[in-house]
Amino acid sequence: MPLTPLLTIGAFARASRLSPKALRLYDELDLLRPVRVDPDTGYRHYAPEQLEQARLIAWLRRLGMPLPQIRALRDLPPPDIAREIHAYWSRVEAETAVRRDLAAFLVDQLSTPPASTTRKDSAMLELRYRARSDRGLVRPANQDTAYADHRLLAVADGYGEAGEVVSGAAVDVLRALDTGHLPAGGVLGLLEDAVTGAAEAVRSAAEGSAGGEGSGTTLTALLWTGSRLALVHIGDSRAYLLRGTGLFRITHDHSVVQSLLDEGRLTEEEAASHPDRLLLLKSLDGTTGSTTGTPDLRLHEARPGDRYLLCSDGLTRVVPEEEIQHVLTTATTPDDATRALIDAANRAGGEDNVSCVVADLVETAP
Ligand code: MN
C-alpha cells in the first residue's frame, strides 16, 4: 500500500490540469492507469507520485503529440523523452515548411498577373544554360539524365536495372509540357499533372524493360514561365541558387538520412557514412507506378544575374559545397561551370554518375 493517501479522480484532475474525461480515456488507452479502482463503485484513485507523469502528458497533448506516440514515451528515461520530443517537433516543422511553401506558391499564383503584362516595359529575362552528364569512373553505365532548353532544366537520377530508361522517361514528360498558354494559377496543376504523368511513364518504362522491377528515378526540375521559375522536386538530386555571392540550397533531400538529420538523430559527420545513406524516402518508383510521397512544388522569383545549379548526388556526395560555390562563382559560362563541376566529382573518385545543369538568368533587350 502507498504511504501517502490516494487522490480521487476529481482531485487528481484538478492537480494535473487534465479533465476527468481525459483521465478516463488515458486509463482506457493504457496511457495513465489509476493505482486503484474501487471494485464496488468503479471510482478511480491516483497516487500523488503519478502527478508528474500526468503533467507531462498534459504538456505533450498541448504540443499536439498524438496519444499513441505519448504512450510509446511513457516508460523512457527523461533524456530519451527529450530526444523524442525534439524528433517529433522537427517532423512538425518539416511538414509545416512544405505547407508554407505551398501557401506561398498559391498566393503568388493568384495575386500576380501574367508575365506578359508585368514585364512589358522592362527588360526581358531569358535562360543561358548547359546540361552535362558523365558516367563517372566506376559505374558501368550512366543512369542519370540531364536536360536543358530555353524553358526547362532537369536532372533525374535513375536506379535499378532500368534506371537509365526511367530517368529519361521522366524528363521526357516534362519536355512535352506545353507552357505556352497557361491560365492564371495553372502552373501548379500543370506540374502536378506532369509528375503524375512522369510516374506513369516511369512505370511503363520499367515494365517494358528487362529487370525493370525495382527501378525508379529522382526528378528535380525548373520550369521557366517567362518571369519565374517553378520548381518540382522528388528524391535526393538537388537545386542550388547562386545569388550574389551566396549559395542557397533550394531543395530538401527526400532521403532516410536527411530525415534522421532533421530529427537530430544523426550528425552531418555520421550521415556521410551511414549504411542507409542511399535510401530514398520519396521517388518516382517503377514498381509502385506512382510517386512514393508527394513532390515539392515551389515558385521562384527570377532576378537577373541569378545562376541555378541542378545536380545529381554524384556531385554532392563527393564535392563539398564550398567547392561547388567556388566553381559557380568563378566560372564565366554555364558550359565552363558544368565541365569544372564534373571534373571535380571525378577527381574525388567519380564513384557515381554525375550530372549538372547550370543556367544563368540574363537580361535581353526589350
Ligand atoms: Mn546517383
Side-chain angles (χ1 to χ4, degrees), residues 143 157-164 166 214-218 280 283-286:
Q143 298 188 309
D157 182 346
Y159 57 82
E161 280 186 51
E164 183 176 353
V166 297
S215 296
T217 187
T218 71
L280 294 178
S283 65
L284 299 175
D285 193 86

Side-chain angles (χ1 to χ4, degrees), residues 10-351:
F12 191 75
R14 279 190 298 280
S16 64
R17 301 181 189 198
L18 289 161
S19 68
K21 189 176 165 209
L23 287 171
R24 283 192 291 271
L25 175 67
Y26 298 167
D27 180 13
E28 283 157 23
L29 293 175
D30 189 23
L31 191 60
L32 184 66
R33 291 279 196 207
V35 292
R36 197 174 88 84
V37 180
D38 189 295
D40 298 325
T41 62
Y43 287 156
R44 294 166 168 86
H45 297 273
Y46 293 83
E49 298 81 50
Q50 291 182 288
L51 271 176
E52 202 180 329
Q53 192 183 2
R55 289 193 182 116
L56 179 62
I57 292 170
W59 288 119
L60 293 175
R61 289 299 289 157
R62 199 173 289 190
L63 268 186
M65 188 182 278
L67 290 172
Q69 244 173 288
I70 297 176
R71 187 172 51 203
L73 298 184
R74 194 185 42 186
D75 300 322
L76 297 178
D80 291 358
I81 296 178
R83 205 192 52 235
E84 293 301 322
I85 293 172
H86 177 72
Y88 164 73
W89 193 249
S90 301
R91 282 194 300 276
V92 170
E93 290 195 325
E95 285 159 18
T96 306
V98 170
R99 292 168 60 207
R100 181 193 60 213
D101 288 345
L102 179 59
F105 189 112
L106 287 168
V107 167
D108 189 279
Q109 277 295 299
L110 296 169
S111 55
T112 312
S116 55
T117 60
T118 53
R119 289 202 169 264
K120 210 164 255 174
D121 302 320
S122 60
M124 300 289 284
L125 290 174
E126 66 177 31
L127 291 172
R128 299 280 158 77
Y129 50 85
R130 180 73 163 99
R132 207 183 278 274
S133 187
D134 192 86
R135 184 174 60 86
L137 306 176
V138 177
R139 297 286 173 90
N142 188 355
Q143 298 188 309
D144 282 3
T145 296
Y147 178 81
D149 67 23
H150 67 284
R151 57 175 201 42
L152 175 68
L153 316 169
V155 164
D157 182 346
Y159 57 82
E161 280 186 51
E164 183 176 353
V165 179
V166 297
S167 70
V171 172
D172 281 347
V173 170
L174 293 187
R175 286 175 63 176
L177 287 180
D178 179 10
T179 55
H181 331 83
L182 274 184
V187 177
L188 183 65
L190 184 85
L191 282 176
E192 279 225 301
D193 292 350
V195 172
T196 306
E200 279 162 17
V202 162
R203 181 177 47 80
S204 66
E207 278 175 2
S209 312
E213 182 101 334
S215 296
T217 187
T218 71
L219 182 63
T220 299
L222 285 166
L223 194 64
W224 176 236
T225 70
S227 60
R228 286 163 290 166
L229 284 155
L231 170 79
V232 57
H233 166 69
I234 189 160
D236 69 349
S237 300
R238 290 183 183 175
Y240 290 90
L241 165 63
L242 184 79
R243 181 170 277 173
T245 54
L247 183 69
F248 307 94
R249 189 167 133 197
I250 59 173
T251 52
H252 196 71
D253 292 353
H254 299 144
S255 65
V256 170
V257 159
Q258 183 64 53
S259 70
L260 292 173
L261 277 171
D262 293 345
E263 293 177 6
R265 296 177 196 271
L266 276 187
T267 63
E268 293 277 354
E269 212 165 57
E270 291 165 332
S273 59
H274 195 276
D276 291 339
R277 65 189 178 281
L278 298 177
L279 285 183
L280 294 178
L281 278 186
K282 298 183 184 180
S283 65
L284 299 175
D285 193 86
T287 312
T288 57
S290 62
T291 56
T292 54
T294 49
D296 296 344
L297 298 170
R298 204 174 324 129
L299 210 56
H300 269 263
E301 169 224 1
R303 292 193 200 162
D306 281 350
R307 171 170 276 183
Y308 282 90
L309 165 68
L310 306 186
C311 59
S312 60
D313 66 338
L315 178 73
T316 48
R317 280 186 203 286
V318 294
V319 179
E321 276 185 6
E322 305 80 65
E323 188 174 348
I324 292 173
Q325 180 167 10
H326 177 74
V327 169
L328 290 175
T329 311
T330 54
T332 315
T333 63
D335 188 52
D336 291 343
T338 49
R339 185 184 296 116
L341 290 170
I342 283 175
D343 287 350
N346 284 334
R347 268 201 312 277
E351 63 191 48

